[in-house]
Amino acid sequence: MSNIMPYSRQLIEDDDIQAVLKVLKSDYLTQGPEIAAFEKELAEYTGARYAVLFSSGTAALHGAYFAAGLKAGEEVITTPNTFAATANAALYLGGRPVFADIELKTGNINLDLIEEKITTKTKILTVVDYSGYPVDMDRARDIAKKYGLVLVEDACHSLGAYYKSKKIGTLADMTILSFHPVKSITTGEGGAVLTDNEEYYHKLLLFRQHGISKENFINEAHGTWYYEMQLLGYNYRMSDIQAALGRSQLKKLDRFIARRREIISFYQEFFSDNEYFDFTVEEEGYFSSWHLFPIRLKEHLITKKRKIFEALRAQGLWVQVHYIPVYWLPFYQSLGYPKGICPNAEKFYESEISIPVYQAMTLEDARKVASILLEVLQNV
């Protein structure tokens, strides 16, 4: 692994290890005080009223769609340029994902195309901050309000980002976070839902713990041991071990984002006049967390993408592609989704490669990546 530079990876430091060891030596490995403490600190950092931790970003999406009241046959409008979980979580509840095409310049959902997708069955609009670059949340919120939709922001890439000077976390009805190791901070596996809505908050708490409540009972309590299962929930709890790691990592988030942005600034300057690919540049009012640095090969190189990709990996750059359009995946094909419904997303996939950017990188590392990339492109 020492000779390989992945597209992203975690940075675990000594204080993170000590935080985890402290919990391992404590009385609580799960359902203990670290959970509430991490939730409080997440809410304070983002400005959200409530934060609810989950065992993964996928579980958090499932919980959010449940809290929104998604029923079988109802629709969730979202982007195909995302990890499958964004759409899968609708299927878990019997809902139907409806895909709207993207903007090529950002990889984000094209908000101009949302209204034509809305039907009487539409319940949720889920936008995704692709690569950490925020969606135009004012516009997304206006659309959701106009049609009475629940607005979910899949911010699994964008913790630490800003939209019009506001931190990601309070701009939607519910905001989803992921703490997978490739993200800006990690708990190993883990996720969260941020919300200002008290009703959603209580539903999320029940949903992640089997639907079981130990307070606010429907029936008369039998004693202090009493609990009630009030809805069909799941065991989607995060452990205190993970939460302790998350708390330690959260203290470093701004530093981690600053390093990622330093790497991106170098890339953008280095590649400014290149003839091989395009990349996203922040517009006024947008502050990306730069979870990814996606390059988009120019037309004359698209047919050579596989050769380029393999050549980069052979040089130790563990690049990746984000994403195969969700509806191209075999399972979605079996559900009857045709190819061709989002031509920009398909073109984006055919041209996109994510090159390394992560908080442990140095500018020397970035220079090495840039030099290898240009060398490969010149020789392909």
Side-chain angles (χ1 to χ4, degrees), residues 37-48:
F38 188 24
E39 288 176 334
K40 180 175 183 290
E41 289 161 9
L42 267 177
E44 288 174 350
Y45 178 86
T46 59

Side-chain angles (χ1 to χ4, degrees), residues 359-374:
Q359 44 268 29
M361 282 181 72
T362 64
L363 287 177
E364 190 103 358
D365 293 329
R367 187 175 297 277
K368 179 181 177 182
V369 171
S371 298
I372 291 172
L373 176 58
L374 287 189

Side-chain angles (χ1 to χ4, degrees), residues 75-94:
E75 296 172 346
V76 177
I77 297 175
T78 193
T79 169
N81 190 36
T82 184
F83 186 61
T86 311
N88 289 351
L91 297 176
Y92 300 158
L93 293 163

Side-chain angles (χ1 to χ4, degrees), residues 244-309:
L245 177 57
R247 292 183 67 198
S248 181
Q249 290 262 297
L250 184 60
K251 295 171 186 174
K252 312 172 189 190
L253 176 57
D254 290 341
R255 168 162 63 93
F256 287 174
I257 296 297
R259 172 48 60 90
R260 284 175 174 264
R261 291 179 62 82
E262 184 181 11
I263 300 298
I264 296 301
S265 293
F266 170 80
Y267 281 158
Q268 291 181 331
E269 184 176 350
F270 192 96
F271 296 136
S272 60
D273 298 320
N274 93 89
E275 58 188 289
Y276 306 108
F277 58 83
D278 297 313
F279 51 82
T280 300
V281 176
E282 285 174 334
E283 295 183 357
E284 187 177 352
Y286 294 83
F287 181 96
S288 179
S289 60
W290 290 114
H291 166 61
L292 302 173
F293 186 66
I295 64 169
R296 305 186 304 279
L297 298 173
K298 290 187 181 289
E299 200 71 38
H300 67 285
L301 289 175
I302 287 177
T303 57
K304 299 178 180 180
K305 174 178 167 177
R306 184 168 182 173
K307 185 177 180 181
I308 294 165
F309 186 91

